Amino acid sequence: MGKMKRTLFALAALLMRCLPAAVDANAQLATAYRSDIVGPEVWTSTARSISCEGTRESYTRGQVPYFLNAVPKPGLSGVLHVVHETPVVDALSLRILEEGENGVKELEWVPIRNRWTPALCTTYYRNIPARASSTECDWVGDSVLKERKCIDFGNVFIAEATLKNTGRVPRTYEVKVVPARLLYPAGATGDASGYTWSFKTTSMGKVRARKCSVSIGTSFGSLSTRVKVEPHGEFTFRYAVAFGSGSPDEVKSTLGARLSAKDPFAANVEDFNGWFRREVPLFSTDDADIAKMYIYRWFVVKRNTHEARRVIADHEYPRAAVYESPAGGWYNCVIPLSVPLQLNELSWMRNPAVARAHLLNWCDKVRGYTKLYIQSTAMSAWHLLQNHPDKDLAAKVAPALVADAMRRSGGSEKLPVIAGSWPTGAEYQPNFYRFTDPPWDYRNDEQFVSKGFKRAQLVRLDGAMCSIGSLEGASRVARMAGDVKAADDCHALAMAQLGTLCKGHWSERDGLFLAADPETGNLAEDAACFDSFAPYMWGLLDDARYDVAFDKLVDRSWFWDDFPVTTVQKSCPMYFGQNGIVVGPVASPTNTLRYGCCWNGPTWHYSDSMVAEAFGRVAMRAPQRRAKWLEFFDGWTKSHFLYGDPTLPRAAEHLRPEDGAHCGDAWDYMHSAWIDPFIRYWCGVSVSEDLKTICFDPFAEVPFSLENVPLAGGVYSFLQRRDESGGLHRSILRGETVLAEGDGALSVAVDF
């Protein structure tokens, strides 16, 4: 009977393995509410910047998808990004003029039907009728425009438009494709069919001059044409613009190939779905929210990964890089704070090439990777090497990781002191102002230094754990590389700093770890922030007596809410769940300091990543806490859905914990790790630190499959199914071989 069961589960695995070719990840992300166009190194943004203004309008309407997003319009619309944000808006406009009894008029289009997907957008428009016309109804126009468009895998925007005359008389149209003045300025080198474009980009607040090759063209040859369309007839045409780092002639050739291709749109959809089949472990479950979020968060990885030199030949990023955000003049680029979390996500890709490139950029101190934020890149590098062991890579990156860890640690058991909240990435965290005079004076920080204020100093627990985690991660990488001395030195210092943290930062009164005043050692009571849970990350603090802190995490009077968790305890005088500070020497509800990145209450995806890891480590050894971890993860997952709409997942920056309202303007933001804790804890898949054991112990108590997971140099699949009695039965497979199965936690031995 056992052999038969084993065979049945192997057959189930084979059946699941036959399905992925039919999985359409692109279609799973379809929505009517988006209008941006997504490409690898070229894309547009069309979101309205309203939700963090703190105005009554943004409060009352800022969550409504059609208010938050610009409505679709023909052409390459929105703010153009070519590797970074450019000043170009509506790079290509499609203008259609009609010759009628009252002369020539330009048709005004109203979107009627919109289907957005990452790889293809399809929109129907109808014209607004002229006020006086004997040939057209005065309340609905006779002209219909259907447009399909995308920015494809070669950074070519291509659109196919079908102009329909639904009226009773022939109509004569003039079709014009109009480049934006900044895209094709007067005096450009070469005609629109191929030229060198000089432009400017903005990232991390800096404007830089750039160059690339551009080609603009249409299927009818020129940029305008005149056409007569009979009643119920139609005219179909294509227009496109290509961007690249090659010569104008090379880019022109690429453009021509797209204009003449049989179906460039199907090819782009196939390329998008092919990426998921090649790169992503395959996941299946009946939980629709989890299944959608799994696809969406991998899309966030894909769309924020760029190879800049495909378009800008001399770009400062020499390899693939992962951005924090697609849009925004500050963070549409690499932001060092996010690199560790991004590496955690990338580590689960079947091909580690992007993760390796991102890590090597960091180790080489590529411009943009070096701004001083707290971070634990070395520990994330170790996670990469756990899944994709590579001794050569370890030897290459270990010196930089060790040097960085030693620098961050200060080389002693004392914990680092953070000056101001900005280096933590968590601006206006209240524990920084617990010891100011008077207390809670948020002016002792970055924005007020020019006015004579000093940055408040604090021993922060996230800063401390980034130091400890960097040391321990560097130790493990160095050991794989064969540098035993560096490994031992880093490990010893990490454990010494962890001892300092436990000795000086545990509050018996609150049952929490707390930040401290670096001068007096006093704990920041009444200002427990999300960093109180940082010490539990990575399983370094293996002492169950400290687990009581998570009783506060799940307490609604402390951190818990419908969309957990808050970034500071609710009883803190500075707590406010929205963008703003309403308490302080010069702040009040009627005199609010409005700031778009406030961490004095709102839930942030970044901090939820930290909590998911910390809480997950504790729940691994304390199974009674797993149900609450799952409740936390479910609330975090649902918080992604704008307006509660399951067709509109949105990784923003932060949201209100009470009602899930999104506070920021960003879309597809990648300064958090959802995939990593999902696989590690929800699915219960991990590899031991010595790379000798694969473990399968899911928190989730529902059927699911996770296939083609890279671990310890191998590829494994994991199944959890209901058996005949309704109980859960688990299997670990490698290829078609069942390695282990049973009803409880499973493990298999591996060799590296």
Side-chain angles (χ1 to χ4, degrees), residues 571-705:
S571 58
C572 175
M574 286 188 70
Y575 177 85
F576 185 51
Q578 182 63 37
N579 278 327
I581 296 176
V582 298
V583 171
V586 293
S588 69
T590 58
N591 184 34
T592 304
L593 171 68
R594 292 177 179 173
Y595 180 67
C597 294
C598 279
W599 294 67
N600 58 319
T603 300
W604 283 73
H605 290 317
Y606 174 91
S607 53
D608 273 358
S609 297
M610 183 182 294
V611 169
E613 163 62 22
F615 198 5
R617 291 287 177 171
V618 169
M620 283 182 73
R621 67 165 181 259
Q624 71 275 15
R625 294 190 181 273
R626 294 185 178 187
K628 210 62 182 179
W629 186 97
L630 287 167
E631 186 180 339
F632 154 76
F633 198 77
D634 183 66
W636 181 24
T637 298
K638 286 181 168 57
S639 76
H640 285 70
F641 295 116
L642 180 65
Y643 206 51
D645 186 337
T647 73
L648 201 56
R650 178 196 185 204
E653 291 181 277
H654 53 314
L655 54 128
R656 290 199 301 251
E658 303 89 357
D659 55 21
H662 291 196
C663 298
D665 295 321
W667 286 76
D668 309 330
Y669 206 78
M670 197 178 174
H671 77 335
S672 60
W674 184 94
I675 297 165
D676 182 60
F678 170 73
I679 294 179
R680 196 178 295 275
Y681 304 117
W682 198 97
C683 296
V685 172
S686 62
V687 59
S688 61
E689 299 300 337
D690 61 5
L691 308 187
K692 295 296 184 182
T693 307
I694 301 295
C695 302
F696 183 35
D697 187 14
F699 290 9
E701 297 184 351
V702 297
F704 71 88
S705 64

Side-chain angles (χ1 to χ4, degrees), residues 215 242 251-261:
S215 179
V251 175
K252 181 178 179 179
S253 177
T254 300
L255 181 102
R258 297 300 191 277
L259 288 171
S260 61

Side-chain angles (χ1 to χ4, degrees), residues 199-456:
F199 61 106
K200 294 181 178 179
T201 64
T202 303
S203 60
M204 209 174 276
K206 295 182 179 179
V207 178
R208 292 187 173 91
R210 310 283 193 184
K211 285 186 178 181
C212 76
S213 295
V214 175
S215 179
I216 304 171
T218 69
S219 58
F220 47 77
S222 64
L223 296 184
S224 66
T225 191
R226 187 171 176 269
V227 61
K228 183 178 181 180
V229 182
E230 297 296 329
H232 305 293
E234 58 186 43
F235 171 60
T236 298
F237 59 95
R238 290 179 181 174
Y239 62 104
V241 54
F243 301 84
S245 58
S247 69
D249 284 344
E250 290 172 327
V251 175
K252 181 178 179 179
S253 177
T254 300
L255 181 102
R258 297 300 191 277
L259 288 171
S260 61
K262 181 179 179 180
D263 193 343
F265 307 105
N268 197 50
V269 170
E270 171 55 28
D271 180 79
F272 183 90
N273 288 332
W275 182 89
F276 276 82
R277 290 195 296 270
R278 293 189 308 272
E279 304 289 356
V280 175
L282 302 166
F283 173 73
S284 175
T285 187
D286 290 335
D287 186 321
D289 287 346
I290 287 289
K292 170 64 74 69
M293 194 55 54
Y294 184 76
I295 293 293
Y296 173 70
R297 290 295 307 219
W298 276 116
F299 162 67
V300 171
V301 171
K302 184 181 191 310
R303 84 152 305 183
N304 282 294
T305 300
H306 309 293
E307 295 182 49
R309 291 186 178 178
R310 294 183 68 207
V311 176
I312 300 173
D314 61 349
H315 196 278
E316 55 269 23
Y317 300 158
R319 312 175 185 88
V322 182
Y323 288 12
E324 186 167 287
S325 174
W330 177 260
Y331 34 65
N332 71 120
C333 56
V334 172
I335 299 293
L337 178 75
S338 305
V339 169
L341 294 168
Q342 293 164 347
L343 285 172
N344 288 346
E345 304 286 77
L346 297 169
S347 295
W348 295 102
M349 292 179 69
R350 295 171 63 186
N351 183 345
V354 173
R356 289 172 177 169
H358 203 36
L359 176 59
L360 288 170
N361 288 341
W362 184 91
C363 290
D364 289 347
K365 298 183 178 180
V366 169
R367 189 170 74 185
Y369 281 79
T370 56
K371 187 175 177 63
L372 186 60
Y373 282 104
I374 64 168
Q375 55 175 264
S376 53
T377 301
M379 184 60 79
S380 297
W382 173 244
H383 290 161
L384 168 63
L385 290 167
Q386 282 184 288
N387 289 3
H388 301 277
D390 184 337
K391 292 183 178 180
D392 290 339
L393 179 64
K396 186 176 291 187
V397 302
L401 295 172
V402 169
D404 178 78
M406 286 298 185
R407 177 182 60 82
R408 290 180 184 278
S409 70
S412 78
E413 63 184 27
K414 292 181 62 176
L415 299 178
V417 176
I418 308 296
S421 61
W422 260 246
T424 69
E427 296 98 313
Y428 292 118
Q429 274 270 272
N431 54 11
F432 275 94
Y433 320 114
R434 179 63 182 85
F435 304 108
T436 59
D437 185 16
W440 315 117
D441 191 347
Y442 57 83
R443 294 173 297 177
N444 289 273
D445 218 324
E446 193 71 28
Q447 286 191 307
F448 296 90
V449 169
S450 62
K451 298 180 180 179
F453 289 87
K454 294 183 178 180
R455 298 176 183 87

Side-chain angles (χ1 to χ4, degrees), residues 74-76 89-95 176-180 239:
L76 181 53
V89 178
D90 295 346
L92 280 189
S93 297
L94 179 61
R95 298 175 60 190
K176 294 184 176 182
V177 175
V178 183
Y239 62 104

